[in-house]
Amino acid sequence: MIRKATSIIVLLLMWFFGLATVILPTSIDSLNREAWRLRRDFSDSSHVLAQRALIHARSIAYQKGEADANSRIGLWNLNGGRFEAAMVHFEKALIIRLSEVLSEDIPRSYTNVGLVHMRMGNDDSAKDFFIKALEACEEHELLDQYGRSWTNLANLLAQNGSLLEADSCFQEAQNAFERRSDSLGLATVLSNRGNIKYELGDNEGAIAFYKKALEAHIEPKNWRGVASSLNNLGL
């Protein structure tokens, strides 16, 4: 039923924009917002809306709308394992955001390009882009993105076996999430720090972090995270 309702919404939006004679930036923003909302559970519908947003944004030279649409299309390709296509769209979004000084979105674009490099095994390039995302967060005082930028860098380091360095980055992320009372971000970082303690053979330290993660997941009623934390505690 939910999938059918979502399909109807997508068709209505496409019908509306097909009839519209004047395309406004606000209408393109609506398409991009809906594409973002559907990105996880209805990725193909999200992609259709993002493609439509891209076409309309280009038709009126709406740079922000074009960058946002490229970002969403890039994400669809990344999740589907189409890394080269993802890189093309993420780089287009980054170029626009840098040229238009779309400050809030610049770290996200650096992160997206870094994630593609990470998935392709280009770890040095991934690290460079994650550091650029951090620098952009500092330059533009985007504290809401600071924690996630540290988390991406930490994940890369942990993946490469640099566990102590990764834990140091996770600590920075933890501090950022605590300052903003971001329970979900905090819970993820606490779980990751627990994983590192476990890998280092510090079972007591791992359990302590898993318990903190469990508490952080309970507050926003993130039951999937609660289940994951309970599973970790059962290791």
Side-chain angles (χ1 to χ4, degrees):
M1 180 64 72
I2 294 175
R3 185 175 297 275
K4 182 177 180 180
T6 301
S7 298
I8 292 172
I9 291 172
V10 171
L11 288 172
L12 286 172
L13 284 169
M14 292 178 64
W15 173 79
F16 172 77
F17 281 96
L19 291 179
T21 56
V22 178
I23 303 298
L24 300 175
T26 52
S27 302
I28 295 168
D29 289 341
S30 295
L31 278 174
N32 277 321
R33 278 196 301 272
E34 188 67 9
W36 179 254
R37 187 181 71 82
L38 299 176
R39 70 192 184 282
R40 290 195 178 96
D41 296 329
F42 305 97
S43 61
D44 288 342
S45 296
S46 172
H47 180 240
V48 169
L49 292 177
Q51 288 279 17
R52 183 58 61 94
L54 181 60
I55 292 170
H56 289 312
R58 285 175 174 169
S59 73
I60 63 171
Y62 178 38
Q63 296 284 70
K64 183 182 185 305
E66 183 175 346
D68 289 347
N70 270 304
S71 183
R72 283 144 181 74
I73 295 169
L75 182 61
W76 179 77
N77 281 295
L78 176 62
N79 291 337
R82 297 172 289 274
F83 301 135
E84 292 184 2
M87 185 68 80
V88 168
H89 287 285
F90 283 149
E91 287 181 337
K92 286 180 179 179
L94 175 59
I95 290 169
I96 293 171
R97 287 167 172 171
L98 287 172
S99 66
E100 296 294 308
V101 195
L102 300 171
S103 304
E104 183 178 345
D105 297 319
I106 289 173
R108 295 190 181 101
S109 274
Y110 279 134
T111 293
N112 288 337
V113 174
L115 288 172
V116 178
H117 278 300
M118 185 175 173
R119 294 281 293 275
M120 294 178 71
N122 304 328
D123 292 343
D124 289 341
S125 295
K127 186 176 181 179
D128 288 342
F129 277 97
F130 290 155
I131 290 173
K132 286 179 181 180
L134 276 169
E135 291 172 346
C137 286
E138 293 177 353
E139 178 183 354
H140 301 292
E141 299 181 351
L142 300 171
L143 299 180
D144 60 320
Q145 298 186 51
Y146 205 59
R148 284 174 173 76
S149 294
W150 275 114
T151 299
N152 289 322
L153 181 57
N155 284 332
L156 176 65
L157 292 168
Q159 177 179 289
N160 290 331
S162 302
L163 298 182
L164 294 178
E165 191 177 357
D167 191 53
S168 178
C169 291
F170 278 132
Q171 177 66 70
E172 294 287 351
Q174 180 179 337
N175 295 340
F177 287 131
E178 286 176 341
R179 284 196 298 269
R180 293 192 57 80
S181 299
D182 185 336
S183 297
L184 291 178
L186 177 61
T188 299
V189 166
L190 291 170
S191 292
N192 287 334
R193 296 196 70 190
N195 292 339
I196 288 177
K197 294 295 183 184
Y198 182 77
E199 289 296 322
L200 292 172
D202 181 0
N203 290 338
E204 289 186 4
I207 289 172
F209 276 113
Y210 290 149
K211 285 182 176 178
K212 290 180 181 178
L214 176 61
E215 294 172 1
H217 279 304
I218 288 174
E219 181 181 341
K221 297 182 180 179
N222 179 20
W223 305 123
R224 183 177 298 179
V226 168
S228 177
S229 293
L230 289 172
N231 182 65
N232 286 333
L233 286 167
L235 290 177

